[in-house]
Amino acid sequence: MLDILKYSAAWLFQVMKHFEERLHPMPDTPALPATGRAWHLASRPVGWPKPEDFALVEAEIPTPGEGQVLVRNTYLSVDPYMRGRMSDAKSYAAPYALGEAMQGGAVGEVVASRAEGLAVGDHVLHGLGWREYALVDAEGAVTVDAQAAPLSAYLGVLGMTGLTAYAGLLRTAAFKEGDTVFVSGAAGAVGSQVGQLAKLKGAARVIGSAGSDEKVALLLEEYGFDAAFNYKSGPVGRQLREAAPDGIDVYFDNVGGEHLEAAIGSLNRGGRIAVCGMISVYNNTEPAPGPRNLARLIQTRGRIEGFLVGDHYDLQPEFVREVGPWVASGELKYRETVAEGIENTLEAFLGVLRGDNTGKMVVKL
Ligand SMILES: NC(=O)c1ccc[n+]([C@@H]2O[C@H](COP(=O)([O-])OP(=O)(O)OC[C@H]3O[C@@H](n4cnc5c(N)ncnc54)[C@H](OP(=O)(O)O)[C@@H]3O)[C@@H](O)[C@H]2O)c1
C-alpha cells in the first residue's frame, strides 16, 4: 500500500496553492522519549477481528541510518483495506507480517534526519502508520505543508480516499454530465466525495445510501444529495427504485452484496458500475453469493469494472487542480471522525468496519 502514498512533491505543492488560511502554526519539537508504541498483528483474524488478534507493543525508538528520517506520527489513517492485509489470502497488497508493526498511511513530523532534503520540523506523508514513531526511508516520505491544509486532509479529502473517489467516478465509471449516480457508503470518506463530485460536475440526480438516519440527513442537508436512504430500514432494491424511479446510469460500489444486486436491477441502458470496495463481505468467512441478476447487463449493455486507486496516480495533478479549489472554498464539504491516542487505533479501525465514522476516520496522536 506504500504505492498509494507516493504523492509527488509537485502535486502536493499544487494543493498548497489552493489554501489561503494558515491553519497550523509549527509546534515546537518535544524532546524524544526512549520508547514508542506500535500495534502488531498477533494472529490472523477469522471473521470480525478480535482484540486478542492485536498487541500494542512498546519498543525502543530507533535512530535513523543514512537516508532515513525518524517521524513522530501526528495522524494515522485507518482504512477498510487493512482488513484484507490482516489475512494471508493472495491480494494486491502484501499481508501484514505476524508479530510486526502493521502499516498504513500516516502524517507526522520529522524529529531526526539523516536524509538530504528532509529536515527536522518537516511534515511528511508516509506508509508506516499504526505506531507513534516511524523510521522512514527518504524515498517513502513526501513532504506536506502543515500550514496549507490540516495535516489530516492529506490522508482523506486531498489524499488517498479523495483520489479514489475522483478516479473511480470519472475514469472507471466514465461519469458524464446528466448522469444519475448512485453511491453506497455515501457518508464515508470515499462515498461522500463521490456524491459531491458528481453534483459539482453536473449529475442530473445523485442518490446515496448510508447506515443511519443521521447520515442520511447529512447527505441531504449538507452534501446536497438529491435523495438518500438508510439501507438498514428496508430492502435496498425497493428503496433505490423509489429514490431513482428513472433508473441509474452510474453506480459507485463501496459495499457489494445486496447493494450491488439492487444497482444492477436499476441500471439504465449503457450504465456503468465502478467497483471500489465491498465492505459488506470483508469479514465473511464464506464466499458471499453473487448478484442474481447479472443477465440484466445484457439488456442494458451495462458494464461492471473494478479499480484500484494505485493504478490512477496520473490523475493526481488534475484531481488537485479541480478538487483543491472546491475544498478550499467549501463547495466540497468533508468531515472527519477523529479518534485520540495510539491506544484507540484498533477501536478506530473496528469502528470503520462497524460504521462508527462519518467521513474519513483518522487517529490523532
Ligand atoms: N479500490 C480502491 O483503490 C479503494 C481505495 C480506498 C477505499 N476503497 C474502498 O472504498 C470503500 C469505502 O472506503 P472508505 O475509506 O471511504 O471507508 P468509509 O466509507 O469512510 O468507512 C466505511 C463505511 O462502510 C460502511 N459499512 C460498513 N459495513 C457495511 C455493510 N455491511 N453494508 C453497507 N455499508 C457498510 C459504514 O458506513 P454505514 O454507517 O453507512 O454502514 C462505514 O462507515 C471501502 O469498501 C474500501 O475498501 C477502495
Side-chain angles (χ1 to χ4, degrees):
M1 218 57 189
L2 232 194
D3 274 359
I4 282 175
L5 300 166
K6 284 185 181 161
Y7 290 83
S8 71
W11 175 70
L12 288 166
F13 281 122
Q14 289 184 59
V15 174
M16 288 149 49
K17 280 194 289 187
H18 296 302
F19 286 84
E20 286 168 10
E21 285 181 2
R22 295 290 178 259
L23 297 169
H24 291 280
M26 182 86 80
D28 292 335
T29 306
L32 280 186
T35 59
R37 290 166 294 173
W39 281 96
H40 288 205
L41 187 64
S43 55
R44 303 211 177 274
V46 178
W48 274 84
K50 295 178 288 301
E52 51 271 31
D53 295 321
F54 306 88
L56 184 58
V57 176
E58 183 144 9
E60 217 170 280
I61 294 175
T63 319
E66 192 53 42
Q68 292 184 317
V69 288
L70 181 67
V71 179
R72 183 171 54 82
N73 282 334
T74 317
Y75 283 98
L76 307 178
S77 184
V78 283
D79 299 273
Y81 78 83
M82 292 168 170
R83 177 63 188 87
R85 296 194 67 184
M86 292 168 189
S87 304
D88 56 7
K90 195 167 182 286
S91 185
Y92 60 92
Y96 291 138
L98 290 179
E100 286 183 20
M102 294 184 288
Q103 298 167 3
V107 281
E109 184 184 349
V110 173
V111 290
S113 175
R114 289 192 60 198
E116 213 175 301
L118 289 172
V120 170
D122 283 354
H123 290 90
V124 291
L125 171 71
H126 63 91
L128 296 179
W130 287 93
R131 69 198 78 187
E132 290 176 301
Y133 288 86
L135 192 60
V136 183
D137 292 336
E139 57 268 26
V142 173
T143 307
V144 298
D145 187 343
Q147 318 226 340
L151 279 178
S152 54
Y154 296 109
L155 299 174
V157 67
L158 295 172
M160 187 273 279
T161 54
L163 183 63
T164 302
Y166 191 82
L169 180 69
L170 302 185
R171 183 173 274 169
T172 309
F175 169 84
K176 54 187 186 331
E177 208 179 314
D179 277 345
T180 292
V181 174
F182 172 46
V183 56
S184 54
V190 173
S192 58
Q193 208 155 341
V194 168
Q196 292 183 80
L197 275 176
K199 284 298 286 184
L200 285 161
K201 290 184 82 68
R205 188 169 173 77
V206 173
I207 300 128
S209 69
S212 74
D213 293 345
E214 293 73 29
K215 289 184 180 182
V216 167
L218 178 75
L219 300 181
L220 295 170
E221 290 159 20
E222 195 167 318
Y223 296 157
F225 282 53
D226 299 289
F229 61 85
N230 179 347
Y231 68 86
K232 294 175 181 165
S233 300
V236 178
R238 176 175 59 69
Q239 297 200 76
L240 179 58
R241 281 193 299 279
E242 286 167 8
D246 297 326
I248 59 171
D249 305 301
V250 166
Y251 172 48
F252 192 108
D253 193 12
N254 286 315
V255 163
E258 189 189 354
H259 273 86
L260 179 55
E261 187 169 295
I264 295 170
S266 280
L267 205 64
N268 288 334
R269 185 169 169 161
R272 289 88 63 203
I273 296 178
V275 181
C276 173
M278 292 204 175
I279 198 165
S280 71
V281 308
Y282 290 175
N283 287 312
N284 282 8
T285 49
E286 297 294 328
R292 293 164 298 179
N293 54 354
L294 282 173
R296 278 210 83 243
L297 296 177
I298 307 163
Q299 301 152 29
T300 59
R301 291 75 156 173
R303 172 167 67 80
I304 302 185
E305 186 177 330
F307 74 98
L308 278 174
V309 62
D311 295 333
H312 299 280
Y313 294 137
D314 60 301
L315 287 178
Q316 282 169 2
E318 182 186 320
F319 161 64
V320 105
R321 244 192 336 269
E322 205 167 10
V323 175
W326 283 332
V327 176
S329 69
E331 284 170 277
L332 195 151
K333 301 179 174 58
Y334 70 100
R335 287 208 180 179
E336 293 170 343
T337 302
V338 184
E340 300 251 349
I342 185 78
E343 58 282 2
N344 290 317
T345 307
L346 176 61
E347 251 318 284
F349 167 70
L350 295 174
V352 171
L353 301 181
R354 284 191 301 258
D356 294 354
N357 61 308
T358 301
K360 182 80 186 83
M361 177 74 97
V362 292
V363 182
K364 185 174 189 301
L365 299 187

